[in-house]
Amino acid sequence: IDLEFKIGAPIEYVFDWWTDLSPDDSALVKPLKSRQIISRTSQFILLRDEEQMYFRKMTFDVKVSLDRPHKWISEYDGKDARAKSEYVLRSNADGTTVIQYHTRIQPKGFLTSILSPMVKPFVKRVFVSEMRIFINALTEDYRKGKTAIESRGNTGEEKLGK
């Protein structure tokens, strides 16, 4: 799945806002039911996400590798699937940012592998919807003059190495 969006905020703000992961993120998008931050450094974030998509509950252990300010990679490992999502940011001369999103999902198990091609269009629709929700929230926070940390409800105190 490949997606690209233009965001009305500078690249540093987009990176900080999007990678300031917290348990409160589950309030933004419906499939994410809970998020637990396991550890955080300036280069990595380890977390556990619980999601529910189309009546199926899934738990993923997630490793986010940060390459400030242009890129981060999220690697998901769950019982039914493994995925790797890459987010690449590009700064525009007008102060906006383009985010390119690429994800590759690898089903685990026989049944999941068979159903994967049929489910892919629905999963893509969910990803597009989530991206639009995040972008709208980010843009609104930037427009209101909130810092990336303030807008996500984090104090920043739990951040290590920043």
Side-chain angles (χ1 to χ4, degrees):
I1 297 173
D2 292 293
L3 304 172
E4 183 173 301
F5 297 92
K6 185 176 179 179
I7 303 171
I11 193 169
E12 295 83 6
Y13 188 90
V14 173
F15 185 93
D16 289 345
W17 190 97
W18 213 293
T19 61
D20 188 34
L21 304 173
S22 82
D24 295 336
D25 293 342
S26 61
L28 283 175
V29 291
K30 290 181 182 179
L32 182 61
K33 297 303 177 192
S34 71
R35 170 166 284 164
Q36 176 188 5
I37 306 298
I38 297 168
S39 68
R40 184 188 315 255
T41 70
S42 62
Q43 297 168 333
F44 298 101
I45 305 169
L46 299 177
L47 52 108
R48 179 164 293 126
D49 280 351
E50 285 187 17
E51 299 183 9
Q52 185 160 346
M53 196 177 304
Y54 299 109
F55 309 107
R56 177 113 173 120
K57 186 177 179 183
M58 299 170 281
T59 301
F60 293 98
D61 291 321
V62 186
K63 177 184 177 186
V64 182
S65 304
L66 306 170
D67 186 7
R68 180 173 298 280
H70 298 287
K71 179 169 112 175
W72 67 95
I73 297 172
S74 299
E75 298 172 87
Y76 302 80
D77 191 23
K79 185 180 90 169
D80 296 322
R82 178 178 300 122
K84 183 175 183 178
S85 299
E86 185 173 1
Y87 302 77
V88 178
L89 303 177
R90 186 178 72 248
S91 193
N92 290 331
D94 65 359
T96 61
T97 302
V98 172
I99 185 168
Q100 294 175 311
Y101 171 79
H102 170 77
T103 193
R104 183 163 184 258
I105 302 168
Q106 297 173 300
K108 291 181 178 179
F110 178 72
L111 186 59
T112 310
S113 295
I114 289 174
L115 295 175
S116 181
M118 293 180 283
V119 174
K120 185 177 178 179
F122 300 106
V123 171
K124 183 175 183 176
R125 189 175 329 144
V126 169
F127 286 2
V128 168
S129 174
E130 287 181 356
M131 292 288 281
R132 287 189 176 136
I133 289 167
F134 279 117
I135 290 167
N136 288 339
L138 182 158
T139 304
E140 182 68 14
D141 288 345
Y142 180 71
R143 192 182 61 73
K144 289 179 178 176
K146 292 184 178 180
T147 67
I149 291 173
E150 288 172 340
S151 68
R152 297 300 294 275
N154 293 334
T155 63
E157 293 172 2
E158 76 279 1
K159 291 185 176 253
L160 306 174
K162 279 194 175 179

